[in-house]
């Protein structure tokens, strides 16, 4: 895939909206072929994991809201920045379900931003999920994946 396509795709991902602008997703681009084999095994053998030209894993950061919340509003006037930082805490603090739901929603929106973009490619594309209706008989053992902000890939 040409580098300019990858750059544009990653720009689309970064443009995804999040509550309070917290960008509570972390996106990992997996290029290592051996690691992809391990991930494929953990993902119920889905061929896309190893066969796709690009593989991104979307992870939720449940604690993004408490990591210096004023930074999300750095360009706003002080009174707005302070008000928003306080309300970020009020919205998330001691609400693990909200933290989880917002992280899942944010990952979904970020992944969804690729939708229109990948359909415009002249190449076959697909998405992959690890959700299953079947109740697993044992816990999945996902391989350790090094994390890095998408902009450092």
């Amino acid at each position: 895939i040409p580098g300019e396509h990858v750059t544009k795709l990653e720009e689309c991902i970064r443009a995804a909206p999040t509550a309070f602008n917290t960008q509570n997703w972390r996106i990992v681009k997996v290029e290592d072929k051996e690691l992809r084999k391990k991930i494929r095994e953990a993902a119920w053998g889905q061929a896309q994991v190893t066969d796709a030209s690009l593989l991104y894993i979307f992870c939720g950061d449940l604690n993004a809201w408490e990591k210096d919340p004023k930074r999300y509003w750095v360009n706003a006037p002080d009174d707005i920045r302070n008000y928003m930082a306080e309300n970020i805490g009020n919205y998330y603090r001691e609400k693990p379900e909200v933290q989880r739901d917002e992280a899942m929603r944010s990952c979904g929106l970020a992944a969804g931003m690729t939708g229109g973009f990948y359909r415009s490619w002249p190449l076959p594309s697909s998405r992959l999920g690890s959700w299953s209706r079947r109740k697993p008989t044992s816990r999945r053992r996902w391989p350790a994946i090094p994390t890095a902000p998408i902009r450092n890939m």
Side-chain angles (χ1 to χ4, degrees), residues 39-86:
I39 295 169
R40 178 178 175 163
E41 184 179 316
W44 294 281
Q46 295 180 65
Q48 302 96 312
V49 174
T50 53
D51 298 351
S53 299
L54 294 171
L55 176 63
Y56 293 94
I57 298 178
F58 292 75
C59 309
D61 182 352
L62 302 180
N63 300 309
W65 64 274
E66 64 185 350
K67 298 173 183 172
D68 188 19
K70 289 184 181 182
R71 71 188 166 110
Y72 302 121
W73 296 89
V74 69
N75 295 320
D78 288 343
D79 58 333
I80 300 295
R81 185 173 45 255
N82 292 333
Y83 174 81
M84 293 304 292
E86 179 182 337

Side-chain angles (χ1 to χ4, degrees), residues 12-149:
C12 288
I13 293 169
R14 280 192 297 273
T18 57
F20 295 100
N21 195 35
T22 57
Q23 299 176 335
N24 50 345
W25 40 253
R26 300 297 173 259
I27 301 164
V28 181
K29 182 178 178 183
V30 184
E31 296 176 307
D32 181 275
K33 294 192 182 304
E34 290 305 311
L35 182 55
R36 284 176 134 199
K37 287 179 185 176
K38 292 176 184 178
I39 295 169
R40 178 178 175 163
E41 184 179 316
W44 294 281
Q46 295 180 65
Q48 302 96 312
V49 174
T50 53
D51 298 351
S53 299
L54 294 171
L55 176 63
Y56 293 94
I57 298 178
F58 292 75
C59 309
D61 182 352
L62 302 180
N63 300 309
W65 64 274
E66 64 185 350
K67 298 173 183 172
D68 188 19
K70 289 184 181 182
R71 71 188 166 110
Y72 302 121
W73 296 89
V74 69
N75 295 320
D78 288 343
D79 58 333
I80 300 295
R81 185 173 45 255
N82 292 333
Y83 174 81
M84 293 304 292
E86 179 182 337
N87 282 291
I88 290 172
N90 292 339
Y91 183 72
Y92 288 106
R93 191 175 297 107
E94 297 178 20
K95 297 175 187 166
E97 295 86 5
V98 171
Q99 295 166 20
R100 179 205 59 218
D101 291 353
E102 288 296 340
M104 290 171 45
R105 185 176 2 265
S106 295
C107 285
L109 286 168
M113 294 298 282
T114 67
F117 183 76
Y118 85 80
R119 279 193 292 276
S120 70
W121 287 9
L123 305 168
S125 303
S126 69
R127 294 192 193 168
L128 166 72
S130 62
W131 179 83
S132 172
R133 287 186 187 271
R134 297 177 310 200
K135 185 176 181 178
T137 55
S138 64
R139 285 196 104 124
R140 286 258 172 233
R141 294 187 152 234
W142 293 94
I145 300 168
T147 59

